[in-house]
Amino acid sequence: MFLSRYERMIARRYLLPGKGEAFILIVAAFSLGAVTLGVFALVVTMSVMNGFRAELFDKIVGLNGHAVVQAYGGQMRDWRDIVKLSEATKGVTSATPLIEQPLMTTYNGRVEGVLLRGMRVADICTNKTIGSKVVMGSLASLTPGSGRIAIGSGLADSLGAVVGSQISLISPQGQTTPFGTVPRIVQYTVGAIFTIGVSDYDKIYVIMPMEDAQTLLMLGDSVGMVELQTTDPDRVGQILAPLSDKIGNRGVVQDWRMMNAQLFEALSVERVVMFCLLSLIILVAAFNIASSLIMLVRAKTRDIAILRTMGASRNGLLRIFMTVGTTIGSLGIVLGLLLAGIALTFRQGVVDLIQRISGQNIWDPQVRFLTELPAKTNPVEVVAIVLIALLLTFLATLYPAFKAASTDPVQVLRYD
């Protein structure tokens, strides 16, 4: 929008009304604040929700893979063939045999339900989700036959266990006697404590070498599943389609979308709903801009009539008032983006401060899944928010601008 020199001067004066028009300035300031608040709320909320989804996805997929080949009956005896077939499939980057079994554990009179995971020692040490999150001990101590295991930090807190503690795992699959099956109770030493960052995982996971898990569960040389990693998790169904045909009736392929469908679908719906609801703040801000411009036009009716008699065109008046409105909206957008950037940078500090002031734990890991408030800003979404705010601001200026441009100087100045 190109303005002449006099149009820029008038627009600048209308942005800062005189002493007798302080009320118009206050309304314009509220409009500026509303746009700022709307952009700030949208950017922060969408960034936090994107971060929550990305962090949760990384934790879940990092531990459970993009997909698993689940054995029928819970035991996969030909797992080596499945691993070879999987690694030969285009798009599959790794295939890891696993054993997972719900068990009970006890220590110092405390009993907790756990999920035992048996993995090859090399896979334990190279797993980024586990290996980079060891808070006590060392994964290198987990060797077959050593009797050492790694447990989640939440489970360690629940049991009161530390590295070196002797905890017992209770397996219902034990020896059969005339009085029934006697559960197996085997004692292990805690060799490492890790924290994944997902509360539900940290308080149930027990990691041990695959050979020890096979012995504990009396599986022989069998495993329960083969975990798969692919080059593109969003195309995991297409990538693994050939593998499903090769495996046939030996197992079933389940990808991360099947295993966590309800969770990620709920997050997607929530993102859309939050975006729509928070966009209403910007819509309200646009109405405020429209109302402030209407008041400005009413206050400046005589000035507009004089400008028309001096040769100002209708298009010139249109440009002036549209510039005033869009300037307010643009300043609000810039301020909103700056505030959002600051809030996202210091988000965890803000959460901690609110918790100290209120005395409430507003970010409980057991409720929120993650231990810290995540954030991931999507540039495409930020651009969309800016464009929506600019569009609504522009539309809000149309009626006041046309009203100003249609002012009849004869009618206004007739009795002056």
Side-chain angles (χ1 to χ4, degrees):
M1 188 181 297
F2 298 100
L3 302 179
S4 63
R5 184 176 179 181
Y6 92 89
E7 290 172 350
R8 288 196 300 270
M9 179 190 68
I10 295 173
R12 188 163 52 247
R13 293 191 63 179
Y14 284 177
L15 280 169
L16 298 173
K19 293 182 179 180
E21 299 157 345
F23 185 71
I24 299 176
L25 181 61
I26 293 174
V27 174
F30 276 117
S31 303
L32 176 67
V35 175
T36 301
L37 180 61
V39 173
F40 166 80
L42 265 176
V43 173
V44 170
T45 302
M46 300 308 296
S47 297
V48 169
M49 296 192 71
N50 287 337
F52 188 88
R53 183 186 185 280
E55 193 75 10
L56 197 60
F57 177 82
D58 290 341
K59 302 290 187 183
I60 292 176
V61 171
L63 197 62
N64 298 319
H66 296 162
V68 295
V69 181
Q70 187 76 44
Y72 292 116
Q75 292 191 27
M76 184 182 291
R77 301 186 184 280
D78 57 346
W79 59 270
R80 289 180 178 83
D81 293 336
I82 301 296
V83 169
K84 289 180 181 179
L85 286 173
S86 301
E87 292 176 340
T89 302
K90 185 179 180 181
V92 176
T93 57
S94 68
T96 306
L98 296 177
I99 297 172
E100 280 195 351
Q101 182 67 40
L103 299 177
M104 299 294 291
T105 185
T106 178
Y107 176 70
N108 281 347
R110 301 180 183 180
V111 180
E112 295 288 342
V114 300
L115 183 62
L116 172 67
R117 167 170 282 209
M119 303 172 64
R120 294 179 297 191
V121 174
D123 295 328
I124 295 175
C125 296
T126 57
N127 189 293
K128 295 180 180 179
T129 304
I130 300 173
S132 62
K133 301 294 184 179
V134 176
V135 296
M136 190 179 298
S138 172
L139 294 177
S141 64
L142 275 64
T143 56
S146 66
R148 292 184 176 272
I149 59 176
I151 64 175
S153 57
L155 179 60
D157 293 338
S158 299
L159 295 174
V162 295
V163 171
S165 298
Q166 303 284 327
I167 70 174
S168 298
L169 293 179
I170 305 172
S171 172
Q173 298 175 349
Q175 295 180 347
T176 302
T177 69
F179 302 99
T181 302
V182 178
R184 299 191 70 196
I185 303 177
V186 183
Q187 197 171 70
Y188 293 93
T189 302
V190 177
I193 297 175
F194 59 87
T195 176
I196 297 172
V198 180
S199 175
D200 284 1
Y201 289 168
D202 288 335
K203 64 184 181 183
I204 65 169
Y205 262 101
V206 174
I207 309 294
M208 69 166 54
M210 189 172 70
E211 294 82 356
D212 293 350
Q214 289 172 333
T215 301
L216 173 64
L217 302 174
M218 298 186 297
L219 295 176
D221 190 40
S222 301
V223 301
M225 65 184 73
V226 174
E227 176 190 284
L228 305 176
Q229 296 281 356
T230 64
T231 54
D232 187 356
D234 292 325
R235 296 181 56 252
V236 64
Q238 301 175 26
I239 293 173
L240 298 180
L243 179 63
S244 300
D245 298 334
K246 294 178 184 177
I247 292 175
N249 59 357
R250 289 184 290 176
V252 59
V253 179
Q254 292 183 313
D255 59 45
W256 64 270
R257 291 173 298 188
M258 299 177 187
M259 295 184 287
N260 305 280
Q262 293 181 342
L263 175 61
F264 286 102
E265 184 177 349
L267 289 175
S268 298
V269 172
E270 188 177 6
R271 286 177 66 249
V272 174
V273 172
M274 291 299 294
F275 186 89
C276 294
L277 289 178
L278 292 176
S279 295
L280 294 178
I281 300 177
I282 300 180
L283 182 61
V284 172
F287 281 120
N288 285 340
I289 291 175
S291 64
S292 64
L293 288 179
I294 291 172
M295 293 175 63
L296 181 63
V297 171
R298 292 291 299 272
K300 299 292 184 180
T301 300
R302 188 171 181 277
D303 294 351
I304 294 170
I306 293 173
L307 287 173
R308 291 283 288 121
T309 59
M310 294 176 64
S313 65
R314 294 180 182 271
N315 289 336
L317 291 173
L318 273 174
R319 289 193 293 268
I320 290 172
F321 284 93
M322 290 174 68
T323 299
V324 172
T326 53
T327 300
I328 294 173
S330 300
L331 288 175
I333 292 171
V334 173
L335 289 175
L337 293 176
L338 289 175
L339 290 177
I342 294 172
L344 291 173
T345 302
F346 302 101
R347 61 188 182 278
Q348 194 58 45
V350 173
V351 171
D352 295 338
L353 177 62
I354 295 174
Q355 290 183 154
R356 284 197 296 269
I357 294 174
S358 64
Q360 300 292 325
N361 186 9
I362 62 175
W363 189 262
D364 187 354
Q366 296 184 357
V367 177
R368 309 294 183 182
F369 291 102
L370 303 179
T371 53
E372 292 186 353
L373 179 66
K376 183 179 180 181
T377 303
N378 186 341
V380 176
E381 288 184 348
V382 173
V383 171
I385 292 170
V386 171
L387 291 178
I388 289 173
L390 285 175
L391 177 62
L392 291 176
T393 300
F394 173 77
L395 294 176
T397 64
L398 292 180
Y399 175 75
F402 277 109
K403 190 70 175 176
S406 62
T407 300
D408 186 354
V410 176
Q411 295 293 329
V412 174
L413 301 176
R414 174 180 294 177
Y415 301 106
D416 288 357

